[in-house]
Amino acid sequence: MTKVSITVDGVLHESEVEPRTLLVHYLREQVGKVGTVVGCDTSSCGACTILLDGRSAKSCSVLAVQADGSSVTTIEGLAGDEWHPVQAAFKECHGLQCGYCTPGMVLSAVDLLSENPNPSEAEIREGLEGNLCRCTGYHNIVKSVALAAQTMKGGKK
Amino acid sequence: MTELAEHVAAIGRPLKRKEDARLLTGKTQWTDNIQLAGALHMAILRSPMGHAKITKLDVSGALKYPGVEAAYGAAELGDLNASVPCVWPVTDDMVAPDFPALAKGEVRHMGDCVALVLAGTAAQAADALEGIVVEYSALPAVINMDDAIKEGSPLVHSDKGTNKCYTYKLQPQGDGAYEAAKAKADVVVKRRFVNQRLIPSAMEPRAVVASPMGTSGELTIWSATQVPHVLRVLLALVTGVSENKLRVVAPDVGGGFGGKLQCYREEILCVALANKLGRPIKWTETRSEDMMATHHGRDQLQDIEIAATKDGKLLGLKVDLIANMGAYLQIITPGIPLLGMFMYPAIYKMDAYDFSCIGVFTNTTPTDAYRGAGRPESTYAIERIMDELANELGMEPMELRKKNWIKHEEFPYTTVAGLTYDSGNYEAATDKAMALFKYDELRKEQVKRRASGDKVQLGIGISTFTEMCGLAPSRTLGALKYVAGGWEHCTIRVLPTGKVELVTGTSPHGQGHETAWSQIASDTLGIPVDDIEVIHGDTRTSPYGMDTYGSRSLAVGGQAILRAGEKVVEKARLIAAHQLECSANDLEFDHGVFRVKGDPSKEKAIQAVAFEAFSAHDLPDGLEPTLQAESTVDPQDFSYPHGTHLCAMEVDTETGKSTIRSYVCVDDIGIQINPLIVEGQVHGGLAQGIAQALYEGAVYDSDGQLLTASFADYLVPSAPDLPSFVTDHTVTPSTTNPLGTKGVGEAGAIASTPAVINAIVDALRPYGVNDVPMPALPMTVWRTLNAARQGGK
Amino acid sequence: MIPSKFDYVRPKSVDEAVAALKAGGEDSKVIAGGQSMLPLLRLRLAAPSVLVDCARIDEMKGIKDNGDSVTIGAASTHWDVMNSDIVKTHVKLLADATATVADPQIRHRGTFGGALAHGDPAGDLPAVVLALDATLEIAGSKGRRQVAAKDFFLDYFTTAVGPDEILVSITIPKLGKGWGTCYEKFNRSANGWAVVGVAAAVKVDGGKITEARIALTNCAAIPVRASSVESALKGVAVSASEIEKASQSAADGTRATSDLAADKEYREHLMRVITARAVSCAAGV
């Protein structure tokens, strides 16, 4: 077992993990952050996406020991008193159906907008290429991200 | 009491979904989130072979691994090794091989379950699989369907003596009628289309938790399933656990698309072992397992022949299918092609129809329902061959369709397949779609680019489709030998505080029933949407239901909501009349308020009536307290949504890569309850239908190795692979249900595949191309184009 | 799936890492971003005894402008590389190609050195370092050595980095004036591997190509230079048709494999088409 200290959604956790423990399993099973989910085993689907030290990462493809000393934001820690504009936009534009890809999709969108606050449709699509959705055909996801970009520019966040 | 919010008409409004609050904040209840004290984790050893004898299986080595409590092969499991059920024996002489949860001596597809381990953690269970000793002796595998039905083919089930599961025929006009129609034809076009195998790929993998520690001694099964009610009946039947001791819960379920319409091996094993050991058992599949052990869809060879006069009038249609069952039959495997059987004639009028289907076993994962189940296959074949016929006749493909489709004034119309379509207006939907698409402009551009020899050619694809929604009148299902009915149930309770519990037997897994059902109940009861709570997916709280698949939930379940709501209002009317001292007939009911006709100052809100029904101090004689009602509705008939889909495709003739330039669809699904949700359903369906045309296909090698066993090889499209869609609608209400609704869950997936392939073929027609196999990946298109250029076709 | 058990060490220096690899024996493996390693571990296609995590070794990070060349620490992430002003200005081909690697999440974690040392024939970056004649610095228990890109890639998933060695940094000479570059990637779906990728750098003078360097992704067990196209392009006018003609020999010297995405014949065809497109793009046609 290896000792790790990881800040998850603003709370410091010191835990013993097996080196083989995936960050996503650490989050779900040891920290109880079950909002982050697993969708594949080849790093393809992005359902497990979190922000690791502020940048999007697939938590199924990071070992918990690699995240030692880092800070993780999951879907459960994204909202403050109010929802993040990306969350609000996904609801407004019906950017989700079953919701399984949603936590990862939202966090990828947050990362995308932090790098490119004014993306074109093509840039939104390319920025989300690491996240698969089987329900929406991406149409309303793209609209959601465009709307979030607008609200965020408006100074709402 | 708090001030009551006022009711505003809800049906038809694009309300934001109630479900989203929990889904967007990670507060969702997925099955895999459930961690129970004392649970054992199950890991399954699966066959790496397509077909083999198990010559040795020793699970004892696994017991030496840390944390392992038990390990089982078929021998150790004994009588608990129940068989996976099939509930649709389509013919009396159908061959139905045994499908044990753990293989007995022989594995018949890659992913077949061989042995299992139960351990304290998932990691321990996975580690211990390495302690199991298993030896296989390879048997010849049969993958190709044409080969499988040849004399002397290797057999998937040697004890059955054949790979044929069944032969089904439908000749509504009698034997020889098609031949007679064909004899009058000037043009006959015949094609073989391959509707390839797909993997449903819901984003949430399957998961099961079975716990024998229910509060009243019941066995609770949480499962990522579309069908908790159907599952409970089947688990009771196959495991022998008394049905009233089984509670099945479908918590939040992350998509299904048919793939979770099943009673799976792993569900049976978890229940049997939890019941035996008295411990909770948990299993969550990996994506790799999902690709090979969750059922697959489609996989049909379609020989289709169409006969017409030289001026384009259709005379007859003949369809001969070979349908891949896979290695075993699952819940409705054999019936899937029959769901398509009635729909080959589609929207067209003709004189004769002749259908046959041979179901075939191969050493592949069993097939079953996948979004559309039978209708995408039929729609693909008819819409493809209509284009080929138009080409033979030298007609514009849309003109050929217009000439033959059912006109709006001809509804209800009984088709050559024997179905009576309720309503439709193909002309209106098509006109609207062609205008949005700028059809004529694109045709002009196409002519120019053909003339200039552009390396990137433009193609235009059409699909004017209809489908069959609202499964289904129970009597019809009985006539097709399906063992269950097709009704749906709803209970509505107006609680003392005026809040509503709506209990439905449908089981949403992403569709948004919590919102849409609230809208229906809201308008029926005159109670605001936000005051209505939809309860679903738990056989303890919603004991009756037939669950969610086949675009049935609104068309059938919606009727039950409406009927239960009406019953509630009728009861409330009696109470209100009693208290307002008038006759029930003297009351009008509007937006949740009963008013005395001619004396509107005398009124009573339904919420107040609910409290009176609860306190029961002053009810009419003989009326029972509480304000609630239930309804179980068996639908009168199917409903038939339709639409016109148009695809503009850019095909790079150098690389074979196809890129959608624009996609327009106008769907008519009757009355829309929530247009926002409707649009979302269309988008998602389009993506899956386009994916079948362009990207997805499960591929096996000749030994039965699944070569597309991960998302790295099985190409579920991501956002840059798809365009934004232009969607619109026309509204022709259904006449077979009082809401006038049809169904939209499958429309996009059914309609889009032929539109996309027709567009690619259209782009390449000048080179002599008259078909492109699916998925139309670059190499396939390039090869097809090369063959045509060399005069191959 | 859950990986098999292994031990984990996180050395602070290259020397410590080399010592840890040696101590761990044959089954020890280097990990940095882990974006290639994690799927292998999860599918249990790799079962190392020890993972030596080099992601936090300072010497292996950072991007440095040496005047006539650029040195990139092997543990720099793809994201670091593609957003580096030094790389964008002086090694644009690398920045462009890196932007096509996998997806944003993977680019945030995966490292330049990891992508090279993994030796995946379908990886995009090996062709880039080959085209640009990079030099790779490898550290081992016997000290450091410099290996030219053309000698670095040996076979499928096999490179010059030995079992107890570590790729430390990559030095790429600047191209100088008159050069244009392009990485053209052909894939079946947006997040798929390159079926064929072409890294092209061409020098244009007076409307003619005076020098060309072209390397191909996924056309053999290792990245290969399209030498005959490079020769054929010399002196050719900058026009689409001339470039197309010169690109006809792109498949010479390759050993194309057959897989689900492309059989040999189609892959060789793509080499010609994509090479012409990459060169045209690099030459500004």
Side-chain angles (χ1 to χ4, degrees):
Chain A
M1 300 292 262
T2 305
K3 200 172 168 188
V4 294
S5 94
I6 302 173
T7 301
V8 182
D9 294 334
V11 176
L12 178 67
H13 292 265
E14 297 199 331
S15 328
E16 296 274 331
V17 298
E18 279 191 281
R20 63 165 160 171
T21 305
L22 305 175
L23 180 58
V24 68
H25 288 145
Y26 165 80
L27 291 170
R28 288 178 57 80
E29 289 157 22
Q30 287 186 246
V31 188
K33 294 285 181 182
V34 291
T36 305
V37 296
V38 183
C40 76
D41 42 19
T42 47
S43 200
S44 308
C45 82
C48 63
T49 299
I50 46 111
L51 300 181
L52 183 54
D53 293 327
R55 293 257 81 95
S56 63
K58 293 179 176 177
S59 63
C60 78
S61 297
V62 179
L63 299 169
V65 289
Q66 290 178 286
D68 182 25
S70 293
S71 172
V72 171
T73 303
T74 77
I75 189 71
E76 294 170 66
L78 184 63
D81 291 340
E82 282 178 25
W83 280 10
H84 189 282
V86 172
Q87 287 169 308
F90 268 67
K91 176 163 183 174
E92 183 65 27
C93 299
H94 189 28
L96 66 155
Q97 290 181 29
C98 84
Y100 199 78
C101 77
T102 307
M105 197 65 83
V106 165
L107 288 163
S108 280
V110 168
D111 181 84
L112 162 68
L113 293 175
S114 78
E115 288 187 30
N116 181 358
N118 194 20
S120 65
E121 179 184 335
E123 286 169 338
I124 293 172
R125 288 183 179 275
E126 277 158 29
L128 298 176
E129 71 179 331
N131 294 75
L132 297 179
C133 169
R134 195 60 160 164
C135 293
T136 64
Y138 305 102
H139 181 105
N140 284 346
I141 291 177
V142 173
K143 270 172 70 177
S144 304
V145 177
L147 174 65
Q150 259 181 7
T151 32
M152 288 165 79
K153 254 188 305 187
K156 290 202 181 163
K157 181 118 187 179
Chain B
M1 283 185 72
T2 50
E3 189 75 9
L4 290 167
E6 273 189 33
H7 170 257
V8 181
I11 289 178
R13 284 169 55 209
L15 298 185
K16 311 291 178 268
R17 295 198 322 169
K18 295 179 166 192
E19 291 85 345
D20 294 357
R22 65 178 189 276
L23 298 171
L24 276 162
T25 53
K27 306 238 176 347
T28 324
Q29 188 65 263
W30 309 114
T31 300
D32 187 56
N33 293 2
I34 298 166
Q35 298 196 35
L36 297 179
L40 294 173
H41 292 259
M42 181 170 83
I44 294 173
L45 185 73
R46 295 183 184 274
S47 170
M49 317 275 285
H51 195 191
K53 280 256 179 271
I54 302 172
T55 52
K56 182 179 180 185
L57 177 62
D58 181 357
V59 299
S60 62
L63 298 170
K64 300 186 183 100
Y65 279 65
V68 174
E69 300 255 351
Y72 299 88
E76 290 78 12
L77 201 57
D79 290 344
L80 294 181
N81 193 9
S83 297
V84 175
C86 171
V87 302
W88 199 345
V90 294
T91 61
D92 292 332
D93 60 351
M94 183 183 85
V95 174
D98 185 32
F99 182 10
L102 286 187
K104 293 178 180 170
E106 188 169 329
V107 288
R108 294 187 174 87
H109 73 92
M110 181 174 154
D112 216 346
C113 298
V114 174
L116 68 90
V117 169
L118 298 176
T121 69
Q124 287 171 336
D127 289 346
L129 291 182
E130 290 170 10
I132 295 173
V133 177
V134 55
E135 287 170 13
Y136 300 99
S137 166
L139 292 167
V142 55
I143 305 301
N144 177 293
M145 284 186 274
D146 282 324
D147 293 346
I149 54 174
K150 280 186 192 142
E151 276 301 312
S153 163
L155 295 175
V156 178
H157 299 273
S158 53
D159 59 322
K160 299 297 181 191
T162 177
N163 287 324
K164 280 190 194 173
C165 175
Y166 66 86
T167 301
Y168 199 101
K169 277 187 190 303
L170 177 73
Q171 293 172 323
Q173 290 72 40
D175 197 7
Y178 171 76
E179 292 307 323
K182 182 180 172 181
K184 289 185 241 157
D186 302 309
V187 179
V188 175
V189 176
K190 187 171 184 191
R191 285 281 190 282
R192 167 172 275 202
F193 297 123
V194 179
N195 211 284
Q196 83 273 28
R197 176 176 284 249
L198 301 177
I199 303 180
S201 305
M203 289 315 298
E204 182 204 22
R206 290 181 295 140
V208 190
V209 178
S211 170
M213 297 167 189
T215 46
S216 53
E218 81 275 18
L219 189 83
T220 306
I221 301 113
W222 291 269
S223 183
T225 181
Q226 297 173 229
V227 289
H229 298 92
V230 172
L231 184 59
R232 179 166 82 150
V233 178
L234 292 175
L235 286 172
L237 288 171
V238 303
T239 66
V241 180
S242 178
E243 187 180 356
N244 55 8
K245 286 283 179 193
L246 282 179
R247 172 187 183 186
V248 178
V249 183
D252 282 317
V253 176
F257 315 110
K260 292 173 181 166
L261 191 193
Q262 197 54 270
C263 175
Y264 277 109
R265 288 171 272 202
E266 297 86 355
E267 289 167 323
I268 294 169
L269 289 167
C270 284
V271 168
L273 291 165
N275 194 44
K276 173 187 158 80
L277 301 174
R279 305 261 307 259
I281 308 286
K282 179 173 180 177
W283 173 78
T284 301
E285 75 178 351
T286 64
R287 181 58 60 182
S288 299
E289 286 181 291
D290 175 88
M291 304 304 277
M292 57 186 169
T294 295
H295 72 238
H296 293 176
R298 314 274 193 265
D299 209 357
Q300 297 178 2
L301 303 176
Q302 308 174 303
D303 288 307
I304 180 167
E305 187 177 281
I306 196 162
T309 65
K310 60 179 180 300
D311 56 355
K313 185 183 171 333
L314 299 186
L315 298 171
L317 182 70
K318 186 174 192 304
V319 175
D320 297 299
L321 295 187
I322 308 176
N324 203 338
M325 305 287 104
Y328 306 100
L329 302 180
Q330 291 202 235
I331 191 165
I332 53 169
T333 303
I336 299 300
L338 307 192
L339 290 172
M341 167 174 77
F342 294 107
M343 299 311 294
Y344 281 89
I347 64 171
Y348 307 114
K349 296 181 282 189
M350 60 188 82
D351 304 330
Y353 177 46
D354 189 310
F355 171 93
S356 78
C357 176
I358 301 172
V360 177
F361 292 109
T362 60
N363 291 111
T364 57
T365 296
T367 61
D368 212 310
Y370 171 58
R371 201 168 193 169
R375 288 103 76 208
E377 296 92 318
S378 58
T379 304
Y380 181 72
I382 185 70
E383 287 303 293
R384 277 290 299 114
I385 204 151
M386 286 299 281
D387 263 29
E388 296 313 306
L389 177 62
N391 183 55
E392 289 285 330
L393 291 166
M395 278 179 82
E396 222 288 339
M398 190 63 95
E399 291 310 311
L400 178 66
R401 286 168 168 87
K402 285 181 178 174
K403 195 177 179 86
N404 288 286
W405 70 35
I406 304 158
K407 295 186 171 52
H408 70 275
E409 66 271 18
E410 293 175 317
F411 290 95
Y413 183 89
T414 301
T415 72
V416 73
L419 297 176
T420 301
Y421 292 178
D422 52 348
S423 64
N425 190 335
Y426 308 139
E427 301 94 321
T430 300
D431 288 348
K432 199 165 186 180
M434 287 177 76
L436 285 167
F437 189 67
K438 300 192 170 69
Y439 188 92
D440 295 334
E441 279 178 39
L442 282 166
R443 280 282 182 221
K444 280 180 201 151
E445 181 185 334
Q446 181 182 45
V447 169
K448 269 192 209 154
R449 281 167 64 175
R450 281 180 178 175
S452 71
D454 199 328
K455 278 181 183 170
V456 180
Q457 283 291 322
L458 174 66
I460 293 166
I462 298 169
S463 169
T464 48
F465 86 105
T466 186
E467 64 135 334
M468 177 173 70
C469 280
L471 292 169
S474 298
R475 231 178 278 172
T476 307
L477 292 177
L480 290 169
K481 297 182 186 295
Y482 179 69
V483 300
W487 47 266
E488 195 46 82
H489 180 86
C490 177
T491 300
I492 290 179
R493 299 189 282 266
V494 187
L495 303 176
T497 56
K499 306 285 180 181
V500 176
E501 288 180 339
L502 186 167
V503 182
T504 177
T506 67
S507 195
H509 38 283
Q511 292 87 347
H513 293 182
E514 291 169 27
T515 308
W517 287 191
S518 298
Q519 291 177 254
I520 298 171
S522 174
D523 282 8
T524 314
L525 300 171
I527 293 178
V529 166
D530 288 342
D531 286 348
I532 296 164
E533 187 73 15
V534 174
I535 295 167
H536 59 79
D538 181 339
T539 60
R540 268 285 152 106
T541 55
S542 112
Y544 304 107
M546 282 293 179
D547 306 314
T548 288
Y549 45 85
S551 296
R552 67 182 304 276
S553 292
L554 176 59
V556 187
Q559 294 185 54
I561 298 166
L562 186 69
R563 190 69 205 105
E566 287 168 351
K567 285 184 182 177
V568 165
V569 173
E570 286 321 301
K571 183 171 181 181
R573 182 187 298 274
L574 296 177
I575 297 170
H578 174 73
Q579 299 194 337
L580 295 170
E581 297 175 332
C582 65
S583 121
N585 291 334
D586 289 340
L587 286 178
E588 52 185 22
F589 182 63
D590 184 39
H591 287 284
V593 180
F594 293 99
R595 283 190 190 86
V596 179
K597 287 177 195 163
D599 186 2
S601 66
K602 293 176 81 176
E603 60 169 45
K604 199 148 187 96
I606 190 167
Q607 292 94 336
V609 174
F611 192 85
E612 303 285 356
F614 161 73
S615 65
H617 296 167
D618 184 20
L619 296 182
D621 289 342
L623 199 70
E624 292 180 4
T626 75
L627 187 52
Q628 59 176 323
E630 57 182 313
S631 173
T632 307
V633 171
D634 204 37
Q636 170 199 332
D637 203 342
F638 297 96
S639 71
Y640 298 88
H642 68 85
T644 296
H645 288 228
L646 299 169
C647 176
M649 183 73 78
E650 305 274 354
V651 183
D652 182 335
T653 60
E654 281 190 318
T655 63
K657 192 160 187 162
S658 306
T659 307
I660 294 176
R661 171 159 140 193
S662 64
Y663 194 101
V664 170
C665 62
V666 174
D667 284 278
D668 192 325
I669 62 152
I671 301 293
Q672 301 192 1
I673 304 300
N674 184 324
L676 190 70
I677 291 175
V678 166
E679 239 186 41
Q681 286 291 316
V682 172
H683 295 155
L686 291 179
Q688 285 180 17
I690 292 169
Q692 172 167 20
L694 293 182
Y695 299 108
E696 296 179 22
V699 181
Y700 285 91
D701 73 8
S702 58
D703 294 328
Q705 290 294 309
L706 178 63
L707 303 178
T708 52
S710 79
F711 281 159
D713 295 307
Y714 186 81
L715 305 179
V716 172
S718 67
D721 296 315
L722 294 169
S724 281
F725 310 111
V726 177
T727 59
D728 208 331
H729 59 271
T730 54
V731 178
T732 311
S734 173
T735 55
T736 56
N737 71 73
L739 284 167
T741 59
K742 294 189 170 182
V744 71
E746 295 148 302
I750 291 170
S752 57
T753 312
V756 172
I757 296 297
N758 279 339
I760 298 176
V761 173
D762 185 53
L764 302 179
R765 191 79 78 182
Y767 302 90
V769 169
N770 63 16
D771 195 22
V772 172
M774 297 192 290
L777 284 161
M779 176 165 70
T780 302
V781 173
W782 181 77
R783 286 223 165 278
T784 304
L785 181 57
N786 266 4
R789 277 172 162 160
Q790 286 155 20
K793 276 188 177 180
Chain C
M1 264 283 273
I2 298 161
S4 300
K5 287 184 185 182
F6 50 77
D7 290 329
Y8 171 85
V9 292
R10 193 194 300 141
K12 290 197 178 64
S13 69
V14 171
D15 288 349
E16 268 182 49
V18 169
L21 277 175
K22 206 172 163 88
E26 221 172 292
D27 292 333
S28 56
K29 285 257 182 255
V30 174
I31 186 171
Q35 298 302 289
S36 300
M37 179 70 86
L38 261 290
L40 296 175
L41 293 175
R42 293 183 69 195
L43 298 172
R44 299 200 175 197
L45 296 172
S49 54
V50 186
L51 280 186
V52 179
D53 184 351
C54 294
R56 301 191 196 182
I57 296 174
D58 284 342
E59 190 196 336
M60 291 175 63
K61 301 176 53 150
I63 296 166
K64 222 170 46 201
D65 187 341
N66 310 316
D68 57 354
S69 66
V70 172
T71 297
I72 301 170
S76 305
T77 65
H78 299 307
W79 196 81
D80 292 336
V81 170
M82 61 188 268
N83 285 294
S84 152
D85 286 334
I86 297 173
V87 175
K88 283 194 284 188
T89 310
H90 302 293
V91 202
K92 188 168 176 299
L93 178 60
L94 177 62
D96 292 346
T98 303
T100 75
V101 171
D103 56 51
Q105 295 98 309
I106 290 174
R107 292 195 290 268
H108 288 147
R109 299 283 307 164
T111 64
F112 183 32
L116 299 176
H118 188 49
D120 188 332
D124 300 292
L125 305 181
V128 175
V129 297
L130 185 68
L132 296 178
D133 291 332
T135 303
L136 298 96
E137 180 168 308
I138 298 170
S141 46
K142 290 176 193 139
R144 306 248 173 156
R145 60 198 179 100
Q146 311 284 326
V147 177
K150 66 178 171 48
D151 303 318
F152 183 80
F153 303 99
L154 303 178
D155 205 342
Y156 285 104
F157 300 98
T158 309
T159 66
V161 181
D164 57 351
E165 288 186 317
I166 293 167
L167 175 61
V168 177
S169 67
I170 301 93
T171 297
I172 305 173
K174 293 182 186 173
L175 285 167
K177 280 209 176 106
W179 286 84
T181 61
C182 183
Y183 186 70
E184 185 80 23
K185 179 172 180 168
F186 186 83
N187 48 20
R188 298 187 298 168
S189 62
N191 57 4
W193 293 94
V195 180
V196 165
V198 178
V202 296
K203 191 173 187 183
V204 175
D205 193 4
K208 288 198 162 139
I209 294 174
T210 56
E211 193 180 345
R213 301 193 201 160
I214 295 153
L216 309 177
T217 296
N218 212 5
C219 296
I222 55 172
V224 288
R225 285 283 279 265
S227 327
S228 52
V229 179
E230 292 177 355
S231 318
L233 282 169
K234 225 170 252 181
V236 158
V238 177
S239 87
S241 58
E242 291 298 307
I243 289 170
E244 209 171 293
K245 221 185 288 168
S247 300
Q248 289 312 304
S249 57
D252 292 2
T254 61
R255 279 174 295 144
T257 50
S258 287
D259 55 31
L260 282 178
D263 60 18
K264 186 171 186 292
E265 185 191 9
Y266 178 59
R267 189 166 258 125
E268 290 183 347
H269 167 74
L270 281 180
M271 291 179 207
R272 293 185 278 271
V273 174
I274 304 304
T275 297
R277 291 183 184 181
V279 172
S280 290
C281 158
V285 175

